[in-house]
Amino acid sequence: MNFLILSVGTRNKIVQYFKRTFDGIGTVIATDASELGPAIYDADRHYIVPPITDSGYIDRILAICREEKIDGVLSLIDPELSLLAENQDAFRATGTTVIGSSHELCETSLDKFRMYRWLVAHGYRCARSWTDREEFYKAAKAGEVTYPVFVKPVKGSASLGIFKAHDEEMTDLLFTREDGMMIQEFLNGQEIGADVYIDMISGEVVSIFTKKKIKMRAGETDKAVSFKDNSLFALIDRFVKEAGYRGQIDIDIFDIGGEYYISEVNPRFGGGYPHAYESGVDHMALILNNLRGRANQRQIGNYREGICMMKYNEVCMKEGLRWT
């Protein structure tokens, strides 16, 4: 039973957790486009591959799957999720299962405005958003939305290119810096992260871990504390089933005055997942069960509240790497 993790970058903990789960069962293989991606050195074996934009990228990954007899594969970066979903049949032909959601859902999750429209259409609370500046200015003048607001890329990732605008002049400046921008209402409340696993066989939500974010850094959770709320679990369960996600997903949510607002969905392991794992929520084991053809039982909220996660830096030292 061999597993392939793509674009591992600095997600060392994710690779380590998979190795722990697959120990004595099979091997964990990692890829990255750079020898300076430290997480590749935590895998049993690794490959340096072309960037995901390279025309031969998927063929290279499929070749690795055949060579290593890979049973399951997933990616740790947003832009690659749609690519994997789009090529599920080719992976299946090599005997490899893509752990992830459909191409349509990956595209919807990457496109923040498309996700906003889906949430509104299905009756979920969320931050009001605009791609038309004039429509936003009308809403602002009517008092329907107030500054500050966020100006961000419609198809952004890792919180890159997100800025806070405090007036119309700043909004204009930020909006016209590049194409494909949107304006989003500022949600002033407690930010929450949810690590969720949807069984690849049954389609049921089988695990949910929630944490209140205390500190963020570069778009990732740096410090957080675990908590439980059955009403939030029910909301996540309903949302995920209605949308149709599969495998591992990461949801950003806001608690505003006791009401939950869904912000974004990443159909992959999030940077804060180690909090869940170290609290006993082992989604790697759930993936392994699915690869063995076994459906997982529901274990929602099976962890302790009040457990704090605090990230800190580590280093990886290697000699003779190419860095130019």
Side-chain angles (χ1 to χ4, degrees):
M1 187 68 69
N2 302 320
F3 201 79
L4 178 62
I5 313 173
L6 305 177
S7 303
V8 293
T10 60
R11 299 294 173 87
N12 297 65
K13 287 295 183 185
I14 299 297
V15 178
Q16 291 168 18
Y17 297 154
F18 270 106
K19 274 197 65 178
R20 195 178 300 173
T21 298
F22 279 74
D23 184 36
I25 299 169
T27 57
V28 174
I29 316 296
T31 72
D32 202 79
S34 170
E35 286 186 321
L36 298 180
I40 58 176
Y41 302 107
D42 279 311
D44 292 304
R45 288 190 292 281
H46 70 267
Y47 291 83
I48 304 302
V49 297
I52 65 171
T53 52
D54 189 281
S55 59
Y57 178 77
I58 280 293
D59 288 337
R60 179 67 181 119
I61 301 303
L62 289 169
I64 294 171
C65 288
R66 288 189 291 267
E67 181 179 342
E68 297 284 356
K69 296 181 174 56
I70 298 296
D71 296 281
V73 62
L74 56 76
S75 175
L76 299 183
I77 61 171
D78 294 321
E80 192 169 16
L81 302 175
S82 295
L83 191 60
L84 288 183
E86 193 174 30
N87 290 276
Q88 279 197 47
D89 290 342
F91 280 100
R92 193 176 295 114
T94 72
T96 305
T97 299
V98 175
I99 304 297
S101 297
S102 68
H103 180 263
E104 181 183 359
L105 273 176
C106 290
E107 286 290 290
T108 298
S109 301
L110 184 62
D111 187 319
K112 306 300 186 290
F113 194 71
R114 185 168 161 183
M115 173 57 76
Y116 162 70
R117 288 186 298 180
W118 188 96
L119 290 168
V120 170
H122 290 81
Y124 292 95
R125 293 185 179 89
C126 56
R128 291 188 63 188
S129 303
W130 296 263
T131 53
D132 185 322
R133 267 184 299 161
E134 296 308 317
E135 288 299 317
F136 163 70
Y137 292 144
K138 287 179 184 177
K141 288 174 182 175
E144 297 171 14
V145 60
T146 58
Y147 289 100
V149 293
F150 283 120
V151 179
K152 60 198 295 185
V154 170
K155 293 188 175 182
S157 180
S159 293
L160 297 174
I162 298 179
F163 299 93
K164 190 182 287 188
H166 294 271
D167 52 39
E168 186 172 318
E169 183 180 4
M170 188 179 293
T171 303
D172 272 333
L173 177 64
L174 294 171
F175 200 89
T176 56
R177 289 182 62 185
E178 55 184 280
D179 294 332
M181 301 296 283
M182 64 184 282
I183 301 165
Q184 189 174 68
E185 178 185 14
F186 173 64
L187 295 180
N188 188 17
Q190 172 64 59
E191 191 170 357
I192 292 165
D195 298 287
V196 184
Y197 190 77
I198 306 95
D199 198 86
M200 296 292 295
I201 295 174
S202 69
E204 292 295 319
V205 180
V206 293
S207 179
I208 302 175
F209 174 86
T210 54
K211 55 188 176 285
K212 294 180 180 180
K213 300 182 181 183
I214 299 169
K215 185 178 180 181
M216 301 289 292
R217 178 173 56 171
E220 291 193 3
T221 306
D222 208 29
K223 294 176 174 57
V225 60
S226 61
F227 82 107
K228 301 179 187 182
D229 181 350
N230 287 331
S231 66
L232 178 56
F233 291 157
L235 171 67
I236 292 170
D237 187 76
R238 177 167 63 88
F239 162 66
V240 169
K241 283 183 179 176
E242 191 169 3
Y245 286 100
R246 290 292 187 276
Q248 176 72 30
I249 70 171
D250 168 72
I251 311 175
D252 290 333
I253 301 162
F254 282 84
D255 178 354
I256 301 177
E259 300 287 356
Y260 290 117
Y261 288 65
I262 296 175
S263 177
E264 295 184 5
V265 181
N266 301 304
R268 55 168 172 77
F269 281 99
Y273 172 74
H275 193 175
Y277 185 91
E278 300 294 347
S279 298
V281 181
D282 184 354
H283 288 182
M284 285 68 186
L286 303 183
I287 290 172
L288 179 58
N289 281 341
N290 280 170
L291 291 177
R292 287 172 159 169
R294 305 170 185 167
N296 292 287
Q297 299 300 310
R298 284 170 68 92
Q299 45 190 275
I300 293 171
N302 189 19
Y303 59 89
R304 290 169 57 199
E305 293 187 273
I307 304 298
C308 291
M309 176 195 72
M310 297 156 279
K311 285 186 182 178
Y312 60 95
N313 293 330
E314 296 182 16
V315 296
C316 175
M317 308 297 287
K318 293 289 177 181
E319 187 174 358
L321 301 183
R322 298 186 300 272
W323 57 274
T324 56

